[in-house]
Amino acid sequence: MGEQIRILVVDDEKGIREGCRRILAGEGYAVDVAENGKAGLELVKSQHYDLIVVDLMMPVMGGIDMMGHVREIDPEIIMIVITGFATIETAVEAIKHGAYDYIPKPFTPDNLIAVINRGIETRRLRLQTKRLMEERDQKLLEIANEKSKMHAIINSMADGVLVINRESQLVLWNPAAIRMLNLNEQLELGRQISEIVQNEDLIRVIKKACSPEASNYTSITEEIELPPPESKTIMVNVSVIRDDESGQDLGLVATLRDITRLKELDKLKSQFVAMVTHELRAPVSAIEGYLTAFLTGAAGSDPQMYRQMMERARQRARSLLELINDLLQFSKLEARSAVRKKEPLDISGIIKNTVELLKGQAESKDLTFEMDIPDSLPLVEADRTEMEQLFTNLISNAIKYNVKNGKVMVSAKPNKHFLNIKVADTGIGIEADCLPCIFDEFYRVSCPETRYTTGTGLGLSIVKKIVESHFGRIDVESTPKKGTTFTVKLPIKQKK
Amino acid sequence: MSRKTRILLVDNDVDFIDLNKAVLENNGFEVAVAYAGREVMDKVKFEQPDIIVLDLMMEKHDTGFAVARALKADPVYKNIPILMLTAVGSETGMDFSQELDGYWMKTDDYANKPLSPEELIKRINALLERNKKA
């Protein structure tokens, strides 16, 4: 109560009204007066008072009536009754109607001040109690909000959460944990964790975290396998919950993360590394074999044969260099998706340049090029280096797997949304059962015609990756001994 | 005069075949070749080899095993000794051995690549010798 305390004096006797005003103002209170209950009530409605001194017997509205109305407006106002008939009955009656105390007439200023001060003190204490109760209610509400917020957060986590107390009872869990471990959704609070969770590995990790040795570390992380039907790999992290203040162990929190997909990717990566190793080893061991035979004379004494061997060793060395380039290209494509530099490109120029660069290779086989590429093609949003790589791989394949005096046909034709580029050859073709595999990494069709053709087995995988990263698609048609046609569709840059 | 010992070399690496064919011929063997697992049965029928040197990884990573199983299940060809060659051990750390895995691999001997020509000849002769006694 920092403000000045306000008191209302209601009495029909002007002498008492004014007397009280003088005495109380002298005590530092702000005092208003009214001549009857009705006038007093009007004042109470219009402004705030801490305490009311009211006469019981007044015309228009008496003290008892007025007190009833005041209590409806503000139950905390202290009301003190002045009464000329100071009997026990009237006092009891007044207190029944909500009066705090009474002052018998006549009274001395000291009487009045003593009763008023006591009333004011009570008012102060009442208000304080009320404030404290409100504060407590507010805090309880906040705690409840906090609790439901925490529940909402835990329940929306993608990772599973299980909280276990010191008695190994399950005390908190979230839907992700229920889903991952395929638990009964109607879990009862406080059951033993080992009764609820069937997975022995998970129980073992939890027990390990409970053991005395576990106090050396803050958490344990292990991978566990969930058997079918779940068939998942879960990374479990179990941490001890320690009370901030006392440092006492309160229990354990286990978080479960489904890493099945990561494991699959990891496995694919390992398989890729194994394939790369195999592909790198093959040319090196061939070269090593030829050199050993040459140095030891193991293949006899025909110099022509050794010459052929050295020629093959050189070819294999070159293909090894090609393979290393392709591998670099391949890993760049895997990592680059975020930094690919796309610009509006005229594909016709890129194709013509590529053909120009590969002419030499084509001449050694007496191949002819047939080009059907309009001078102005709609632009394609693409990365220049990757487009060059794409058409180099396709056209050099058309040359490599062609027959002597064959043809390589390159055409480009736009339709509404796509630019269709065809690279066709009159070469050896691909058997139907091999077609689905030709875009796989390191896949090479094995047939007598290509036995001595070197290749990395990565060219078409690179082509496919480039096309797909440009939101296009690639199709292949082939007839054995007639030829193969690759069709690349690239989306045309739409004018805005 | 008895005919020369005939070897069927099976490998998808043309250089491995060319090189070892030259070396084996230089050492008095007759050599027939196959470049894929699926060619093996026809070659065996046609060439009647005395021994087969078979690569493991060809069309598929386990083509050699499939070929060996098919041969050992055939009453006519089950006695032709098979020497399985593979680089799988050095690439994956997965090591097979004739003693422990021979019964299911259906092989008579097993060697890791790379293998020097002298070592290959030694293994072929040893296997032929053992097979003659049996």
Side-chain angles (χ1 to χ4, degrees):
Chain A
M1 282 190 290
E3 299 161 46
Q4 194 178 24
I5 292 165
R6 301 184 66 86
I7 297 175
L8 176 63
V9 179
V10 188
D11 200 309
D12 55 340
E13 277 180 55
K14 196 177 178 194
I16 291 187
R17 283 204 306 268
E18 292 308 319
C20 287
R21 183 209 289 275
R22 227 177 17 252
I23 295 163
L24 295 175
E27 289 298 305
Y29 299 119
V31 186
D32 284 330
V33 295
E35 58 186 5
N36 59 48
K38 197 160 185 283
L41 202 57
E42 289 307 313
L43 283 170
V44 171
K45 280 178 188 164
S46 65
Q47 58 180 308
H48 144 89
Y49 293 100
D50 294 296
L51 187 144
I52 298 171
V53 180
V54 61
D55 187 14
L56 275 188
M57 301 298 285
M58 286 179 295
V60 188
M61 185 190 277
I64 300 283
D65 273 359
M66 186 194 159
M67 286 198 297
H69 291 299
V70 169
R71 280 178 59 197
E72 281 170 24
I73 297 168
D74 181 355
E76 307 300 330
I77 294 183
I78 301 284
M79 290 176 290
I80 292 166
V81 166
I82 310 171
T83 176
F85 341 85
T87 62
I88 291 296
E89 286 76 24
T90 48
V92 167
E93 183 70 9
I95 284 169
K96 228 191 255 172
H97 282 83
Y100 166 73
D101 206 350
Y102 69 97
I103 309 171
K105 282 182 195 172
F107 51 82
T108 62
D110 286 348
N111 285 153
L112 178 71
I113 289 165
V115 173
I116 296 279
N117 283 349
R118 212 162 56 230
I120 292 295
E121 179 62 15
T122 304
R123 159 94 175 156
R124 198 181 61 78
L125 290 173
R126 273 191 197 173
L127 286 179
Q128 198 175 10
T129 310
K130 196 179 161 196
R131 202 185 66 236
L132 287 172
M133 279 172 71
E134 277 170 2
E135 272 177 13
R136 191 198 61 179
D137 287 351
Q138 182 61 33
K139 281 228 171 85
L140 285 176
L141 189 71
E142 273 170 21
I143 289 169
N145 280 340
E146 207 51 51
K147 224 171 154 183
S148 78
K149 228 188 278 172
M150 193 185 83
H151 264 112
I153 293 170
I154 290 178
N155 283 349
S156 39
M157 279 171 67
D159 287 357
V161 175
L162 298 174
V163 178
I164 300 138
N165 67 11
R166 291 167 69 189
E167 279 74 45
S168 300
Q169 292 164 326
L170 187 61
V171 291
L172 181 70
W173 58 87
N174 70 352
I178 289 182
R179 259 196 324 274
M180 266 183 227
L181 300 171
N182 198 13
L183 301 177
N184 183 359
E185 298 215 13
Q186 255 61 61
L187 278 182
E188 292 159 46
L189 197 71
R191 277 184 55 201
Q192 286 291 312
I193 181 76
S194 51
E195 292 171 20
I196 296 166
V197 175
Q198 303 299 322
N199 189 287
E200 283 173 17
D201 288 328
L202 181 54
I203 297 294
R204 181 181 48 76
V205 178
I206 289 170
K207 284 204 176 128
K208 194 166 147 193
C210 296
S211 67
E213 306 93 75
S215 56
N216 297 333
Y217 23 88
T218 47
S219 72
I220 297 176
T221 303
E222 273 191 34
E223 277 175 24
I224 60 169
E225 297 289 336
L226 299 183
E230 281 82 37
S231 308
K232 284 178 196 150
T233 310
I234 304 281
M235 190 170 76
V236 186
N237 176 289
V238 184
S239 311
V240 176
I241 308 169
R242 287 214 170 85
D243 188 64
D244 281 346
E245 285 161 17
S246 65
Q248 215 180 11
D249 290 356
L250 301 177
L252 298 171
V253 55
T255 51
L256 313 169
R257 171 163 292 183
D258 187 344
I259 56 167
T260 315
R261 179 84 192 112
L262 284 176
K263 287 300 249 189
E264 279 165 12
L265 287 176
D266 194 47
K267 202 171 150 200
L268 286 178
K269 210 77 191 171
S270 309
Q271 280 173 357
F272 184 77
V273 170
M275 280 197 286
V276 169
T277 319
H278 181 78
E279 296 300 320
L280 287 173
R281 175 183 298 278
V284 176
S285 51
I287 294 165
E288 195 269 347
Y290 282 130
L291 292 175
T292 309
F294 175 74
L295 291 172
T296 57
S301 55
D302 178 5
Q304 191 54 36
M305 175 172 284
Y306 288 113
R307 211 190 138 65
Q308 275 171 17
M309 284 184 175
M310 289 304 105
E311 189 50 50
R312 277 300 293 170
R314 183 164 72 172
Q315 277 178 31
R316 291 304 296 260
R318 282 177 181 161
S319 85
L320 180 58
L321 287 175
E322 251 174 67
L323 173 61
I324 291 167
N325 285 337
D326 277 0
L327 280 172
L328 283 174
Q329 176 73 17
F330 196 82
S331 64
K332 244 191 249 163
L333 280 173
E334 298 251 286
R336 254 189 73 173
S337 51
V339 289
R340 190 166 279 115
K341 210 179 112 210
K342 288 186 180 172
E343 52 182 331
L345 282 185
D346 172 24
I347 295 294
S348 71
I350 290 177
I351 296 177
K352 283 171 188 165
N353 284 343
T354 308
V355 168
E356 212 47 53
L357 282 171
L358 294 171
K359 276 240 162 91
Q361 262 185 53
E363 274 162 14
S364 64
K365 265 187 165 170
D366 296 321
L367 301 178
T368 46
F369 275 101
E370 276 179 20
M371 307 279 283
D372 179 13
I373 297 171
D375 279 335
S376 77
L377 280 175
L379 297 180
V380 170
E381 188 87 10
D383 181 293
R384 177 178 290 278
T385 330
E386 290 187 4
M387 285 297 119
E388 286 168 358
Q389 178 83 40
L390 165 65
F391 292 110
T392 304
N393 286 9
L394 284 179
I395 296 171
S396 72
N397 273 359
I399 296 169
K400 213 148 88 172
Y401 300 106
N402 220 317
V403 291
K404 217 161 166 56
N405 297 312
K407 280 193 290 193
V408 176
M409 286 89 69
V410 187
S411 68
K413 211 170 168 181
N415 63 20
K416 200 169 168 207
H417 298 291
F418 286 93
L419 179 61
N420 293 332
I421 303 134
K422 279 186 198 291
V423 177
D425 64 57
T426 56
I428 55 175
I430 304 164
E431 296 284 347
D433 59 338
C434 301
L435 271 182
C437 307
I438 59 169
F439 294 106
D440 293 352
E441 288 112 40
F442 301 116
Y443 181 82
R444 293 196 68 212
V445 177
S446 73
C447 65
E449 291 89 342
T450 59
R451 195 158 287 152
Y452 287 95
T453 314
T454 55
T456 62
L458 281 176
L460 287 178
S461 331
I462 289 173
V463 163
K464 190 161 198 265
K465 269 196 192 301
I466 292 175
V467 171
E468 283 173 356
S469 69
H470 287 81
F471 310 108
R473 56 172 293 172
I474 182 161
D475 293 309
V476 58
E477 287 165 70
S478 188
T479 314
K481 305 205 184 342
K482 290 258 175 125
T484 305
T485 303
F486 285 94
T487 307
V488 175
K489 293 173 195 285
L490 293 171
I492 290 168
K493 184 179 160 57
Q494 299 299 318
K495 287 186 188 107
K496 289 194 182 122
Chain B
M1 193 182 115
S2 65
R3 72 173 178 113
K4 285 180 177 177
T5 302
R6 183 173 293 172
I7 301 169
L8 177 61
L9 264 181
V10 188
D11 200 306
N12 61 341
D13 187 327
V14 63
D15 292 297
F16 179 85
I17 296 256
D18 282 2
L19 173 67
N20 287 291
K21 184 171 189 284
V23 173
L24 289 170
E25 281 174 351
N26 190 47
N27 282 273
F29 293 99
E30 255 183 42
V31 182
V33 301
Y35 296 97
R38 60 185 137 77
E39 297 173 15
V40 173
M41 266 303 178
D42 286 346
K43 288 278 181 179
V44 168
K45 281 176 193 164
F46 186 74
E47 303 281 353
Q48 304 279 327
D50 301 296
I51 185 169
I52 299 168
V53 177
L54 182 63
D55 186 39
L56 173 57
M57 288 205 237
M58 289 183 285
E59 294 99 309
K60 288 184 188 159
H61 65 278
D62 60 349
T63 296
F65 291 148
V67 170
R69 267 201 303 277
L71 284 166
K72 294 297 179 188
D74 191 311
V76 181
Y77 306 116
K78 64 174 185 198
N79 291 324
I80 305 175
I82 297 174
L83 168 58
M84 179 80 79
L85 295 185
T86 177
V88 71
S90 45
E91 278 164 21
T92 62
M94 192 167 51
D95 247 329
F96 299 121
S97 80
Q98 185 59 36
E99 290 73 43
L100 297 174
D101 303 296
Y103 72 97
W104 66 264
M105 295 195 299
K106 304 290 182 196
T107 53
D108 299 280
D109 197 7
Y110 177 92
N112 276 312
K113 275 184 177 176
L115 194 70
S116 70
E118 305 95 80
E119 180 67 19
L120 179 63
I121 292 168
K122 221 158 82 186
R123 300 290 277 262
I124 289 172
N125 282 330
L127 189 52
L128 285 169
E129 199 59 34
R130 209 167 49 182
N131 215 49
K132 217 183 280 170
K133 282 180 199 154

